[in-house]
PDB file of all heavy atoms in Angstrom:
ATOM      1  N   ALA A   1      96.457  87.983  96.272  1.00 97.00           N
ATOM      2  CA  ALA A   1      97.127  87.043  97.194  1.00 97.00           C
ATOM      3  C   ALA A   1      97.809  87.847  98.348  1.00 97.00           C
ATOM      4  O   ALA A   1      98.293  88.988  98.155  1.00 97.00           O
ATOM      5  CB  ALA A   1      98.244  86.293  96.504  1.00 97.00           C
ATOM      6  N   SER A   2      97.697  87.322  99.570  1.00 96.00           N
ATOM      7  CA  SER A   2      98.276  87.989 100.756  1.00 96.00           C
ATOM      8  C   SER A   2      98.854  86.934 101.668  1.00 96.00           C
ATOM      9  O   SER A   2      98.667  85.706 101.434  1.00 96.00           O
ATOM     10  CB  SER A   2      97.169  88.800 101.488  1.00 96.00           C
ATOM     11  OG  SER A   2      96.069  88.019 101.909  1.00 96.00           O
ATOM     12  N   GLY A   3      99.483  87.349 102.697  1.00 95.00           N
ATOM     13  CA  GLY A   3     100.125  86.449 103.634  1.00 95.00           C
ATOM     14  C   GLY A   3     101.534  86.138 103.100  1.00 95.00           C
ATOM     15  O   GLY A   3     102.196  87.003 102.659  1.00 95.00           O
ATOM     16  N   ARG A   4     101.893  84.883 103.276  1.00 92.00           N
ATOM     17  CA  ARG A   4     103.211  84.423 102.880  1.00 92.00           C
ATOM     18  C   ARG A   4     103.309  84.219 101.413  1.00 92.00           C
ATOM     19  O   ARG A   4     103.425  83.048 100.938  1.00 92.00           O
ATOM     20  CB  ARG A   4     103.624  83.164 103.671  1.00 92.00           C
ATOM     21  CG  ARG A   4     103.619  83.251 105.130  1.00 92.00           C
ATOM     22  CD  ARG A   4     104.945  83.955 105.659  1.00 92.00           C
ATOM     23  NE  ARG A   4     105.069  84.004 107.057  1.00 92.00           N
ATOM     24  CZ  ARG A   4     105.565  83.067 107.821  1.00 92.00           C
ATOM     25  NH1 ARG A   4     106.156  81.979 107.242  1.00 92.00           N
ATOM     26  NH2 ARG A   4     105.627  83.191 109.131  1.00 92.00           N
ATOM     27  N   THR A   5     103.247  85.273 100.627  1.00 90.00           N
ATOM     28  CA  THR A   5     103.154  85.117  99.207  1.00 90.00           C
ATOM     29  C   THR A   5     104.476  84.614  98.526  1.00 90.00           C
ATOM     30  O   THR A   5     104.462  84.194  97.452  1.00 90.00           O
ATOM     31  CB  THR A   5     102.892  86.502  98.509  1.00 90.00           C
ATOM     32  OG1 THR A   5     103.854  87.493  98.992  1.00 90.00           O
ATOM     33  CG2 THR A   5     101.432  86.965  98.905  1.00 90.00           C
ATOM     34  N   ILE A   6     105.515  84.579  99.377  1.00 86.00           N
ATOM     35  CA  ILE A   6     106.846  84.044  98.855  1.00 86.00           C
ATOM     36  C   ILE A   6     106.571  82.557  98.633  1.00 86.00           C
ATOM     37  O   ILE A   6     107.387  81.946  97.847  1.00 86.00           O
ATOM     38  CB  ILE A   6     107.972  84.290  99.884  1.00 86.00           C
ATOM     39  CG1 ILE A   6     109.285  83.936  99.250  1.00 86.00           C
ATOM     40  CG2 ILE A   6     107.715  83.506 101.174  1.00 86.00           C
ATOM     41  CD1 ILE A   6     110.474  84.291 100.126  1.00 86.00           C
ATOM     42  N   ARG A   7     105.609  81.982  99.263  1.00 86.00           N
ATOM     43  CA  ARG A   7     105.301  80.521  99.061  1.00 86.00           C
ATOM     44  C   ARG A   7     104.462  80.211  97.891  1.00 86.00           C
ATOM     45  O   ARG A   7     104.117  79.078  97.636  1.00 86.00           O
ATOM     46  CB  ARG A   7     104.670  79.978 100.404  1.00 86.00           C
ATOM     47  CG  ARG A   7     105.494  80.213 101.599  1.00 86.00           C
ATOM     48  CD  ARG A   7     104.694  79.776 102.898  1.00 86.00           C
ATOM     49  NE  ARG A   7     104.476  78.349 102.949  1.00 86.00           N
ATOM     50  CZ  ARG A   7     104.039  77.698 103.979  1.00 86.00           C
ATOM     51  NH1 ARG A   7     103.803  78.339 105.138  1.00 86.00           N
ATOM     52  NH2 ARG A   7     103.868  76.401 103.978  1.00 86.00           N
ATOM     53  N   LEU A   8     104.019  81.259  97.158  1.00 92.00           N
ATOM     54  CA  LEU A   8     103.131  81.084  96.081  1.00 92.00           C
ATOM     55  C   LEU A   8     103.862  80.950  94.738  1.00 92.00           C
ATOM     56  O   LEU A   8     104.583  81.827  94.329  1.00 92.00           O
ATOM     57  CB  LEU A   8     102.134  82.278  95.982  1.00 92.00           C
ATOM     58  CG  LEU A   8     100.929  82.216  95.022  1.00 92.00           C
ATOM     59  CD1 LEU A   8     100.093  80.979  95.365  1.00 92.00           C
ATOM     60  CD2 LEU A   8     100.143  83.459  95.084  1.00 92.00           C
ATOM     61  N   GLY A   9     103.668  79.825  94.090  1.00 96.00           N
ATOM     62  CA  GLY A   9     104.299  79.607  92.840  1.00 96.00           C
ATOM     63  C   GLY A   9     103.327  79.695  91.702  1.00 96.00           C
ATOM     64  O   GLY A   9     102.743  80.729  91.391  1.00 96.00           O
ATOM     65  N   ALA A  10     103.054  78.479  91.072  1.00 97.00           N
ATOM     66  CA  ALA A  10     102.093  78.460  89.960  1.00 97.00           C
ATOM     67  C   ALA A  10     100.627  78.784  90.481  1.00 97.00           C
ATOM     68  O   ALA A  10     100.326  78.535  91.633  1.00 97.00           O
ATOM     69  CB  ALA A  10     102.101  77.098  89.295  1.00 97.00           C
ATOM     70  N   MET A  11      99.789  79.292  89.579  1.00 98.00           N
ATOM     71  CA  MET A  11      98.502  79.591  89.879  1.00 98.00           C
ATOM     72  C   MET A  11      97.504  79.141  88.759  1.00 98.00           C
ATOM     73  O   MET A  11      97.969  78.871  87.746  1.00 98.00           O
ATOM     74  CB  MET A  11      98.263  81.103  90.185  1.00 98.00           C
ATOM     75  CG  MET A  11      99.136  81.605  91.300  1.00 98.00           C
ATOM     76  SD  MET A  11      98.801  83.303  91.802  1.00 98.00           S
ATOM     77  CE  MET A  11      97.165  83.127  92.646  1.00 98.00           C
ATOM     78  N   ALA A  12      96.228  79.089  89.164  1.00 98.00           N
ATOM     79  CA  ALA A  12      95.159  78.623  88.278  1.00 98.00           C
ATOM     80  C   ALA A  12      93.889  79.148  88.542  1.00 98.00           C
ATOM     81  O   ALA A  12      93.597  79.637  89.598  1.00 98.00           O
ATOM     82  CB  ALA A  12      95.206  77.064  88.202  1.00 98.00           C
ATOM     83  N   TRP A  13      93.030  79.119  87.513  1.00 98.00           N
ATOM     84  CA  TRP A  13      91.579  79.390  87.719  1.00 98.00           C
ATOM     85  C   TRP A  13      90.777  78.147  87.411  1.00 98.00           C
ATOM     86  O   TRP A  13      90.970  77.458  86.500  1.00 98.00           O
ATOM     87  CB  TRP A  13      91.113  80.481  86.675  1.00 98.00           C
ATOM     88  CG  TRP A  13      91.499  81.851  87.015  1.00 98.00           C
ATOM     89  CD1 TRP A  13      92.588  82.525  86.432  1.00 98.00           C
ATOM     90  CD2 TRP A  13      90.895  82.755  87.986  1.00 98.00           C
ATOM     91  NE1 TRP A  13      92.724  83.808  86.993  1.00 98.00           N
ATOM     92  CE2 TRP A  13      91.707  83.938  87.897  1.00 98.00           C
ATOM     93  CE3 TRP A  13      89.864  82.671  88.794  1.00 98.00           C
ATOM     94  CZ2 TRP A  13      91.321  85.058  88.695  1.00 98.00           C
ATOM     95  CZ3 TRP A  13      89.601  83.780  89.591  1.00 98.00           C
ATOM     96  CH2 TRP A  13      90.309  84.917  89.503  1.00 98.00           C
ATOM     97  N   PHE A  14      89.827  77.814  88.370  1.00 98.00           N
ATOM     98  CA  PHE A  14      88.950  76.738  88.295  1.00 98.00           C
ATOM     99  C   PHE A  14      87.550  77.316  88.277  1.00 98.00           C
ATOM    100  O   PHE A  14      87.297  78.428  88.732  1.00 98.00           O
ATOM    101  CB  PHE A  14      89.150  75.777  89.426  1.00 98.00           C
ATOM    102  CG  PHE A  14      90.308  74.873  89.338  1.00 98.00           C
ATOM    103  CD1 PHE A  14      91.565  75.372  89.800  1.00 98.00           C
ATOM    104  CD2 PHE A  14      90.296  73.581  88.887  1.00 98.00           C
ATOM    105  CE1 PHE A  14      92.721  74.690  89.828  1.00 98.00           C
ATOM    106  CE2 PHE A  14      91.419  72.830  88.885  1.00 98.00           C
ATOM    107  CZ  PHE A  14      92.656  73.371  89.297  1.00 98.00           C
ATOM    108  N   ARG A  15      86.569  76.501  87.785  1.00 98.00           N
ATOM    109  CA  ARG A  15      85.129  76.970  87.892  1.00 98.00           C
ATOM    110  C   ARG A  15      84.328  75.774  88.130  1.00 98.00           C
ATOM    111  O   ARG A  15      84.578  74.619  87.771  1.00 98.00           O
ATOM    112  CB  ARG A  15      84.815  77.689  86.606  1.00 98.00           C
ATOM    113  CG  ARG A  15      84.671  76.739  85.376  1.00 98.00           C
ATOM    114  CD  ARG A  15      84.368  77.589  84.155  1.00 98.00           C
ATOM    115  NE  ARG A  15      84.147  76.799  82.911  1.00 98.00           N
ATOM    116  CZ  ARG A  15      84.006  77.308  81.698  1.00 98.00           C
ATOM    117  NH1 ARG A  15      83.917  78.635  81.510  1.00 98.00           N
ATOM    118  NH2 ARG A  15      83.933  76.496  80.712  1.00 98.00           N
ATOM    119  N   GLN A  16      83.170  76.012  88.801  1.00 97.00           N
ATOM    120  CA  GLN A  16      82.249  74.980  89.083  1.00 97.00           C
ATOM    121  C   GLN A  16      80.816  75.547  89.214  1.00 97.00           C
ATOM    122  O   GLN A  16      80.599  76.485  89.856  1.00 97.00           O
ATOM    123  CB  GLN A  16      82.614  74.300  90.422  1.00 97.00           C
ATOM    124  CG  GLN A  16      81.784  73.042  90.729  1.00 97.00           C
ATOM    125  CD  GLN A  16      82.204  72.286  91.894  1.00 97.00           C
ATOM    126  OE1 GLN A  16      82.872  72.835  92.865  1.00 97.00           O
ATOM    127  NE2 GLN A  16      81.971  70.949  91.923  1.00 97.00           N
ATOM    128  N   ASP A  17      79.937  74.884  88.491  1.00 94.00           N
ATOM    129  CA  ASP A  17      78.502  75.317  88.551  1.00 94.00           C
ATOM    130  C   ASP A  17      77.712  74.193  89.169  1.00 94.00           C
ATOM    131  O   ASP A  17      78.078  72.953  88.966  1.00 94.00           O
ATOM    132  CB  ASP A  17      78.027  75.529  87.049  1.00 94.00           C
ATOM    133  CG  ASP A  17      76.712  76.355  87.107  1.00 94.00           C
ATOM    134  OD1 ASP A  17      76.579  77.268  87.846  1.00 94.00           O
ATOM    135  OD2 ASP A  17      75.815  75.991  86.250  1.00 94.00           O
ATOM    136  N   PRO A  18      76.750  74.487  89.928  1.00 88.00           N
ATOM    137  CA  PRO A  18      75.891  73.402  90.525  1.00 88.00           C
ATOM    138  C   PRO A  18      75.469  72.387  89.542  1.00 88.00           C
ATOM    139  O   PRO A  18      74.934  72.732  88.472  1.00 88.00           O
ATOM    140  CB  PRO A  18      74.688  74.162  91.129  1.00 88.00           C
ATOM    141  CG  PRO A  18      75.267  75.486  91.501  1.00 88.00           C
ATOM    142  CD  PRO A  18      76.213  75.793  90.341  1.00 88.00           C
ATOM    143  N   GLY A  19      75.729  71.090  89.816  1.00 87.00           N
ATOM    144  CA  GLY A  19      75.326  69.993  88.959  1.00 87.00           C
ATOM    145  C   GLY A  19      76.403  69.647  87.943  1.00 87.00           C
ATOM    146  O   GLY A  19      76.250  68.759  87.144  1.00 87.00           O
ATOM    147  N   LYS A  20      77.584  70.425  88.005  1.00 90.00           N
ATOM    148  CA  LYS A  20      78.638  70.112  87.158  1.00 90.00           C
ATOM    149  C   LYS A  20      79.908  69.845  88.020  1.00 90.00           C
ATOM    150  O   LYS A  20      80.041  70.254  89.121  1.00 90.00           O
ATOM    151  CB  LYS A  20      78.894  71.280  86.235  1.00 90.00           C
ATOM    152  CG  LYS A  20      77.701  71.583  85.225  1.00 90.00           C
ATOM    153  CD  LYS A  20      77.922  72.844  84.503  1.00 90.00           C
ATOM    154  CE  LYS A  20      79.115  72.766  83.514  1.00 90.00           C
ATOM    155  NZ  LYS A  20      79.250  74.074  82.785  1.00 90.00           N
ATOM    156  N   GLU A  21      80.843  69.158  87.376  1.00 93.00           N
ATOM    157  CA  GLU A  21      82.192  68.874  87.992  1.00 93.00           C
ATOM    158  C   GLU A  21      83.018  70.150  87.979  1.00 93.00           C
ATOM    159  O   GLU A  21      82.930  70.971  87.068  1.00 93.00           O
ATOM    160  CB  GLU A  21      82.858  67.752  87.333  1.00 93.00           C
ATOM    161  CG  GLU A  21      82.132  66.416  87.468  1.00 93.00           C
ATOM    162  CD  GLU A  21      82.087  65.908  88.913  1.00 93.00           C
ATOM    163  OE1 GLU A  21      83.066  66.068  89.601  1.00 93.00           O
ATOM    164  OE2 GLU A  21      80.983  65.387  89.291  1.00 93.00           O
ATOM    165  N   ARG A  22      83.902  70.229  88.931  1.00 96.00           N
ATOM    166  CA  ARG A  22      84.909  71.358  88.912  1.00 96.00           C
ATOM    167  C   ARG A  22      85.775  71.210  87.682  1.00 96.00           C
ATOM    168  O   ARG A  22      86.229  70.177  87.330  1.00 96.00           O
ATOM    169  CB  ARG A  22      85.731  71.323  90.137  1.00 96.00           C
ATOM    170  CG  ARG A  22      86.580  72.558  90.300  1.00 96.00           C
ATOM    171  CD  ARG A  22      87.627  72.414  91.446  1.00 96.00           C
ATOM    172  NE  ARG A  22      87.030  72.144  92.696  1.00 96.00           N
ATOM    173  CZ  ARG A  22      86.448  73.051  93.545  1.00 96.00           C
ATOM    174  NH1 ARG A  22      86.527  74.324  93.217  1.00 96.00           N
ATOM    175  NH2 ARG A  22      85.852  72.790  94.677  1.00 96.00           N
ATOM    176  N   GLU A  23      85.969  72.321  86.989  1.00 96.00           N
ATOM    177  CA  GLU A  23      86.706  72.329  85.749  1.00 96.00           C
ATOM    178  C   GLU A  23      87.889  73.331  85.758  1.00 96.00           C
ATOM    179  O   GLU A  23      87.736  74.409  86.284  1.00 96.00           O
ATOM    180  CB  GLU A  23      85.812  72.710  84.605  1.00 96.00           C
ATOM    181  CG  GLU A  23      86.408  72.879  83.202  1.00 96.00           C
ATOM    182  CD  GLU A  23      85.493  73.434  82.188  1.00 96.00           C
ATOM    183  OE1 GLU A  23      84.446  74.093  82.580  1.00 96.00           O
ATOM    184  OE2 GLU A  23      85.684  73.184  81.014  1.00 96.00           O
ATOM    185  N   LEU A  24      88.976  72.801  85.351  1.00 97.00           N
ATOM    186  CA  LEU A  24      90.230  73.677  85.212  1.00 97.00           C
ATOM    187  C   LEU A  24      90.001  74.598  84.031  1.00 97.00           C
ATOM    188  O   LEU A  24      89.643  74.166  82.906  1.00 97.00           O
ATOM    189  CB  LEU A  24      91.395  72.879  84.970  1.00 97.00           C
ATOM    190  CG  LEU A  24      92.760  73.634  84.758  1.00 97.00           C
ATOM    191  CD1 LEU A  24      93.172  74.368  85.978  1.00 97.00           C
ATOM    192  CD2 LEU A  24      93.900  72.639  84.336  1.00 97.00           C
ATOM    193  N   VAL A  25      90.220  75.947  84.268  1.00 98.00           N
ATOM    194  CA  VAL A  25      89.962  76.865  83.222  1.00 98.00           C
ATOM    195  C   VAL A  25      91.342  77.239  82.584  1.00 98.00           C
ATOM    196  O   VAL A  25      91.432  77.279  81.373  1.00 98.00           O
ATOM    197  CB  VAL A  25      89.280  78.162  83.761  1.00 98.00           C
ATOM    198  CG1 VAL A  25      89.096  79.170  82.669  1.00 98.00           C
ATOM    199  CG2 VAL A  25      87.892  77.812  84.352  1.00 98.00           C
ATOM    200  N   ALA A  26      92.226  77.703  83.414  1.00 98.00           N
ATOM    201  CA  ALA A  26      93.592  78.103  82.952  1.00 98.00           C
ATOM    202  C   ALA A  26      94.633  77.935  84.037  1.00 98.00           C
ATOM    203  O   ALA A  26      94.290  78.014  85.164  1.00 98.00           O
ATOM    204  CB  ALA A  26      93.500  79.548  82.396  1.00 98.00           C
ATOM    205  N   THR A  27      95.847  77.791  83.491  1.00 98.00           N
ATOM    206  CA  THR A  27      97.042  77.743  84.539  1.00 98.00           C
ATOM    207  C   THR A  27      98.072  78.711  84.055  1.00 98.00           C
ATOM    208  O   THR A  27      98.173  79.037  82.859  1.00 98.00           O
ATOM    209  CB  THR A  27      97.581  76.335  84.601  1.00 98.00           C
ATOM    210  OG1 THR A  27      98.175  75.964  83.341  1.00 98.00           O
ATOM    211  CG2 THR A  27      96.517  75.299  84.955  1.00 98.00           C
ATOM    212  N   ILE A  28      98.955  79.101  84.976  1.00 98.00           N
ATOM    213  CA  ILE A  28     100.036  79.921  84.690  1.00 98.00           C
ATOM    214  C   ILE A  28     101.194  79.580  85.648  1.00 98.00           C
ATOM    215  O   ILE A  28     100.887  79.529  86.874  1.00 98.00           O
ATOM    216  CB  ILE A  28      99.659  81.413  84.744  1.00 98.00           C
ATOM    217  CG1 ILE A  28     100.785  82.324  84.299  1.00 98.00           C
ATOM    218  CG2 ILE A  28      99.205  81.838  86.150  1.00 98.00           C
ATOM    219  CD1 ILE A  28     100.416  83.737  84.008  1.00 98.00           C
ATOM    220  N   ASN A  29     102.415  79.446  85.178  1.00 97.00           N
ATOM    221  CA  ASN A  29     103.467  79.160  86.073  1.00 97.00           C
ATOM    222  C   ASN A  29     103.894  80.440  86.797  1.00 97.00           C
ATOM    223  O   ASN A  29     103.457  81.503  86.518  1.00 97.00           O
ATOM    224  CB  ASN A  29     104.659  78.468  85.317  1.00 97.00           C
ATOM    225  CG  ASN A  29     105.358  79.339  84.306  1.00 97.00           C
ATOM    226  OD1 ASN A  29     104.822  80.481  84.015  1.00 97.00           O
ATOM    227  ND2 ASN A  29     106.444  78.957  83.804  1.00 97.00           N
ATOM    228  N   TRP A  30     104.919  80.256  87.664  1.00 96.00           N
ATOM    229  CA  TRP A  30     105.301  81.385  88.546  1.00 96.00           C
ATOM    230  C   TRP A  30     105.763  82.568  87.684  1.00 96.00           C
ATOM    231  O   TRP A  30     105.375  83.690  87.989  1.00 96.00           O
ATOM    232  CB  TRP A  30     106.418  80.942  89.539  1.00 96.00           C
ATOM    233  CG  TRP A  30     106.850  82.078  90.368  1.00 96.00           C
ATOM    234  CD1 TRP A  30     106.268  82.461  91.547  1.00 96.00           C
ATOM    235  CD2 TRP A  30     107.955  83.012  90.151  1.00 96.00           C
ATOM    236  NE1 TRP A  30     106.941  83.544  92.096  1.00 96.00           N
ATOM    237  CE2 TRP A  30     107.988  83.887  91.258  1.00 96.00           C
ATOM    238  CE3 TRP A  30     108.885  83.104  89.143  1.00 96.00           C
ATOM    239  CZ2 TRP A  30     108.930  84.896  91.338  1.00 96.00           C
ATOM    240  CZ3 TRP A  30     109.839  84.101  89.197  1.00 96.00           C
ATOM    241  CH2 TRP A  30     109.852  84.996  90.312  1.00 96.00           C
ATOM    242  N   SER A  31     106.562  82.357  86.702  1.00 96.00           N
ATOM    243  CA  SER A  31     107.107  83.446  85.913  1.00 96.00           C
ATOM    244  C   SER A  31     106.168  84.027  84.923  1.00 96.00           C
ATOM    245  O   SER A  31     106.344  85.119  84.419  1.00 96.00           O
ATOM    246  CB  SER A  31     108.405  82.993  85.223  1.00 96.00           C
ATOM    247  OG  SER A  31     108.122  81.997  84.240  1.00 96.00           O
ATOM    248  N   GLY A  32     105.086  83.250  84.596  1.00 96.00           N
ATOM    249  CA  GLY A  32     104.142  83.688  83.554  1.00 96.00           C
ATOM    250  C   GLY A  32     104.578  83.317  82.248  1.00 96.00           C
ATOM    251  O   GLY A  32     103.909  83.699  81.262  1.00 96.00           O
ATOM    252  N   SER A  33     105.677  82.634  82.131  1.00 96.00           N
ATOM    253  CA  SER A  33     106.167  82.165  80.763  1.00 96.00           C
ATOM    254  C   SER A  33     105.381  81.031  80.142  1.00 96.00           C
ATOM    255  O   SER A  33     105.574  80.839  78.941  1.00 96.00           O
ATOM    256  CB  SER A  33     107.637  81.829  80.922  1.00 96.00           C
ATOM    257  OG  SER A  33     107.827  80.650  81.757  1.00 96.00           O
ATOM    258  N   SER A  34     104.621  80.361  80.960  1.00 97.00           N
ATOM    259  CA  SER A  34     103.868  79.172  80.445  1.00 97.00           C
ATOM    260  C   SER A  34     102.429  79.236  80.889  1.00 97.00           C
ATOM    261  O   SER A  34     102.190  79.394  82.131  1.00 97.00           O
ATOM    262  CB  SER A  34     104.559  77.839  80.920  1.00 97.00           C
ATOM    263  OG  SER A  34     103.715  76.771  80.458  1.00 97.00           O
ATOM    264  N   THR A  35     101.510  79.149  79.918  1.00 98.00           N
ATOM    265  CA  THR A  35     100.076  79.169  80.285  1.00 98.00           C
ATOM    266  C   THR A  35      99.385  78.019  79.565  1.00 98.00           C
ATOM    267  O   THR A  35      99.911  77.514  78.587  1.00 98.00           O
ATOM    268  CB  THR A  35      99.411  80.463  79.858  1.00 98.00           C
ATOM    269  OG1 THR A  35      99.603  80.704  78.467  1.00 98.00           O
ATOM    270  CG2 THR A  35     100.050  81.662  80.650  1.00 98.00           C
ATOM    271  N   SER A  36      98.229  77.676  80.088  1.00 98.00           N
ATOM    272  CA  SER A  36      97.446  76.626  79.429  1.00 98.00           C
ATOM    273  C   SER A  36      96.041  76.905  79.653  1.00 98.00           C
ATOM    274  O   SER A  36      95.630  77.574  80.634  1.00 98.00           O
ATOM    275  CB  SER A  36      97.788  75.184  79.998  1.00 98.00           C
ATOM    276  OG  SER A  36      97.415  75.047  81.365  1.00 98.00           O
TER     277      SER A  36
END
């Protein structure tokens, strides 16, 4: 991440393959204390 990173809170990974819907892979809150 670059730029105004102070504005960046929670983050996530998504994935998408042609012919398939975008899928949530994993999430993590700002502190890293909570993941899914």
Side-chain angles (χ1 to χ4, degrees):
S2 60
R4 299 280 184 91
T5 55
I6 191 174
R7 302 175 67 170
L8 188 60
M11 300 186 74
W13 286 99
F14 287 83
R15 67 185 183 186
Q16 185 171 31
D17 196 42
K20 298 171 63 178
E21 296 294 320
R22 189 188 303 276
E23 176 186 24
L24 175 65
V25 178
T27 66
I28 185 168
N29 68 350
W30 181 85
S31 68
S33 63
S34 178
T35 60
S36 66

